[in-house]
Amino acid sequence: MIRIYNSLTKKIEDFIPIKENEVSMYVCGPTVYDSMHIGNSRPVIFFDTVARFFRYLGYKLTYVSNYTDIDDKIIARAKRDNLTEEEVSERYIGEINETIRQLNCLPFSKTPRVTESISEIIDFIGKIVNCGGAYVVAGDVYFDIEQVKDYGILSGQTVDNLISGARIDFNEKKKNPLDFNLWKRTTEGKRWPSPWSAGRPGWHTECVVMIQNIFKGKIDIHGGGNDLKFPHHDNEIAQSICLHNHAIANYWMHNGMIDFSGEKMSKSLGNYIAAKDLLAKISYPVYRLMILNVPYRQPLAFKEELLQQAENDYQKIYRSYIGIYRALELSEQNIKSVSSGEIEQLKEDFLSAMKDDFNTANALTVIHQLVKIANTLVRNGDEQLGYLKRVLLLMAEMLWVFGIEIDVSPLTAEDKLTVKAYYQAKKAKNYRLSDQLRDIIMAKGIII
Ligand SMILES: [Zn+2]
């Protein structure tokens, strides 16, 4: 049984999907006006790992993430760069997609865009207005939070606390300072006709409509960063309760933020590193291990040591994997996989860690234990090749869940002879010959 920390109930709960063996999951995607920064790459990597784990267990998964392609920030960027809003959003959707691909994330099932969902958004807002959940002031439509019981259920705060503590915009058109825009009358940027004014939708209404469009009802998991809990997710829930009488998803999951020198990493603070810039320096497996090494609900303090740790971890795993691969390859036999209690226990441990609210940090410890077993087996030589084969397959499975796929090029017949000769020379302590052979191997770029 998978257990998930549900931000809605603030409890660890058994995961029971709405439809047996199927999972529906939605994670809020980026507003596309700039490059993805490493803070925003955490939910991308983490929820990709969640998606992979569900697929690994055989669930039929529908995983959706949106693009907010109309927003004040996009309009501002378009003005600054002398581009149209479409040009800005196309550019960053392309760039962000490329970063997600480089991080070796599986493709989403769907990536809806706000600008392609405008008529459904207008319909949805119209229904809320009709049932008295929203009011119109001078062409703007505001959601009336007093029409829903338990407003702020996700952030777990009272309305009074939210009013005093939140960064909300006070404006005399609103009945309550927490009321939020469903439709905004605009004179600037792209706008669409509506029964209320020419304008565009408010951010909080977009996701709830796109979820309804695609899934036609309640979903299993809604995810995002902790910073989206309030107001974004509480406002999504308020609209859904108002119209559909449910909280959109049975399980709400939130990842912790990435801190940078003790501050939250964000574009507005200007203290961010773009994911693509970090990817230019480190490989994607190192990047993923850096993120997955910290339990997802905890804050992640980004620092050099964390990168170094991930680099060391990956080197150990990679060398071990190549070592097993070559040992099997050089044996020139058709090795049958043989298992042992010890190896299968590690598989169980890995599954238990992942089923325990996706504890990737503990699951990584299990991968390291498997690496140790593998290294001993490789040293022990030929008689244990059957076990090695099982270890190789299991390691590949675990790494796949982590989004890491190691590609090894098979040796040519000639290279096999050289590598074998190298190992023999080493065994016979003929270091002069083994050094020579090693130089040849390295010059050819062969990894052993
Ligand atoms: Zn959202």
Side-chain angles (χ1 to χ4, degrees):
M1 178 73 82
I2 296 175
R3 295 177 50 82
I4 295 179
Y5 178 82
N6 190 349
S7 307
L8 191 62
T9 57
K10 289 138 195 86
K11 276 189 217 135
I12 298 261
E13 295 174 355
D14 288 346
F15 176 68
I16 301 163
I18 296 165
K19 284 191 197 153
E20 209 181 332
N21 295 322
E22 290 187 22
V23 177
S24 45
M25 181 160 88
Y26 181 93
V27 175
C28 293
T31 301
V32 286
Y33 71 101
D34 205 347
S35 306
M36 182 196 288
H37 68 69
I38 63 171
N40 291 338
S41 70
R42 191 179 192 188
V44 171
I45 291 170
F46 171 67
F47 286 104
D48 176 66
T49 309
V50 170
R52 284 169 174 269
F53 189 57
F54 278 123
R55 290 197 166 123
Y56 177 68
L57 294 181
Y59 283 91
K60 182 169 171 271
L61 173 80
T62 310
Y63 175 22
V64 175
S65 185
N66 71 297
Y67 289 118
T68 294
D69 59 348
I70 184 74
D71 184 86
D72 286 343
K73 290 172 185 146
I74 295 174
I75 297 169
R77 176 58 58 109
K79 267 189 170 173
R80 195 198 76 176
D81 295 351
N82 203 17
L83 295 169
T84 64
E85 289 141 66
E86 282 91 349
E87 283 167 338
V88 170
S89 55
E90 281 305 321
R91 171 187 293 180
Y92 290 107
I93 286 174
E95 192 196 293
I96 290 167
N97 274 339
E98 178 56 18
T99 304
I100 292 175
R101 196 193 60 75
Q102 285 177 5
L103 288 167
N104 203 39
C105 296
L106 297 173
F108 297 109
S109 314
K110 278 198 171 100
T111 47
R113 299 181 186 192
V114 176
T115 55
E116 291 166 356
S117 318
I118 298 292
S119 69
E120 288 92 345
I121 291 174
I122 292 173
D123 280 355
F124 181 89
I125 298 172
K127 283 183 194 155
I128 297 189
V129 172
N130 285 342
C131 74
Y135 52 92
V136 185
V137 185
D140 286 342
V141 183
Y142 290 100
F143 187 84
D144 184 349
I145 63 137
E146 270 156 35
Q147 299 306 314
V148 287
K149 171 164 116 355
D150 296 334
Y151 178 76
I153 189 171
L154 189 65
S155 45
Q157 298 206 53
T158 63
V159 167
D160 287 345
N161 279 344
L162 288 172
I163 291 175
S164 58
R167 300 167 298 158
I168 41 175
D169 109 77
F170 285 85
N171 135 7
E172 70 279 8
K173 291 185 201 163
K174 296 187 199 175
K175 291 195 209 162
N176 183 312
L178 292 172
D179 290 350
F180 55 91
N181 247 152
L182 297 180
W183 188 263
K184 229 175 175 171
R185 188 174 78 92
T186 48
T187 49
E188 211 184 17
K190 213 166 156 45
R191 51 192 177 275
W192 290 264
S194 81
W196 316 288
S197 63
R200 60 190 159 82
W203 176 38
H204 307 309
T205 206
E206 299 163 356
C207 293
V208 64
V209 176
M210 290 187 277
I211 291 170
Q212 182 61 26
N213 279 352
I214 292 170
F215 295 102
K216 314 290 179 211
K218 204 175 192 186
I219 59 173
D220 292 306
I221 297 171
H222 191 315
N226 245 335
D227 56 341
L228 295 183
K229 266 189 190 167
F230 185 82
H232 185 53
H233 288 165
D234 259 323
N235 288 352
E236 281 188 35
I237 291 173
Q239 294 166 74
S240 178
I241 288 180
C242 179
L243 216 54
H244 306 304
N245 209 19
H246 64 66
I248 306 174
N250 282 332
Y251 303 87
W252 282 79
M253 293 176 69
H254 292 93
N255 64 274
M257 298 290 97
I258 295 194
D259 301 331
F260 193 48
S261 334
E263 271 185 319
K264 179 190 144 185
M265 186 179 288
S266 83
K267 279 174 192 157
S268 48
L269 295 171
N271 63 346
Y272 73 94
I273 299 173
K276 62 171 184 172
D277 293 340
L278 189 56
L279 270 170
K281 290 186 198 142
I282 61 172
S283 64
Y284 85 82
V286 174
Y287 196 126
R288 291 186 72 114
L289 287 179
M290 173 193 76
I291 299 287
L292 297 175
N293 210 350
V294 179
Y296 78 94
R297 286 194 280 134
Q298 289 177 16
L300 188 154
F302 179 77
K303 50 182 182 238
E304 198 49 44
E305 293 92 308
L306 209 64
L307 275 181
Q308 201 50 57
Q309 170 75 41
E311 184 72 57
N312 295 345
D313 282 349
Y314 185 57
Q315 280 309 319
K316 276 187 202 152
I317 294 167
Y318 180 75
R319 282 203 208 109
S320 175
Y321 190 91
I322 301 278
I324 313 171
Y325 187 97
R326 293 288 182 234
L328 290 165
E329 195 182 20
L330 292 173
S331 77
E332 308 274 12
Q333 302 166 45
N334 193 7
I335 307 290
K336 259 213 195 120
S337 164
V338 182
S339 201
S340 70
E342 189 185 21
I343 296 171
E344 293 316 304
Q345 184 56 48
L346 288 182
K347 177 171 178 172
E348 282 310 308
D349 292 348
F350 181 82
L351 291 176
S352 306
M354 289 301 291
K355 286 178 179 177
D356 176 19
D357 193 27
F358 307 98
N359 193 328
T360 50
N362 285 351
L364 183 58
T365 309
V366 180
I367 296 179
H368 284 304
Q369 286 166 347
L370 193 64
V371 163
K372 262 192 198 151
I373 291 183
N375 294 347
T376 311
L377 287 172
V378 168
R379 274 198 299 276
N380 286 355
D382 280 1
E383 60 277 16
Q384 297 188 317
L385 287 172
Y387 294 126
L388 264 188
K389 179 102 179 224
R390 174 69 191 127
V391 168
L392 184 76
L393 295 173
L394 186 57
M395 204 184 282
E397 283 176 22
M398 291 177 179
L399 290 173
W400 185 85
V401 172
F402 269 55
I404 296 171
E405 292 163 70
I406 301 176
D407 233 0
V408 195
S409 338
L411 297 173
T412 62
E414 188 198 331
D415 291 342
K416 268 187 198 165
L417 291 176
T418 315
V419 174
K420 271 188 190 165
Y422 162 70
Y423 283 125
Q424 274 160 7
K426 223 173 126 182
K427 209 170 171 188
K429 302 199 167 140
N430 183 348
Y431 295 119
R432 211 171 60 89
L433 180 60
S434 73
D435 283 354
Q436 276 174 3
L437 291 166
R438 198 196 50 210
D439 290 346
I440 295 170
I441 291 166
M442 284 180 59
K444 284 187 155 187
I446 300 165
I447 303 158
I448 52 169

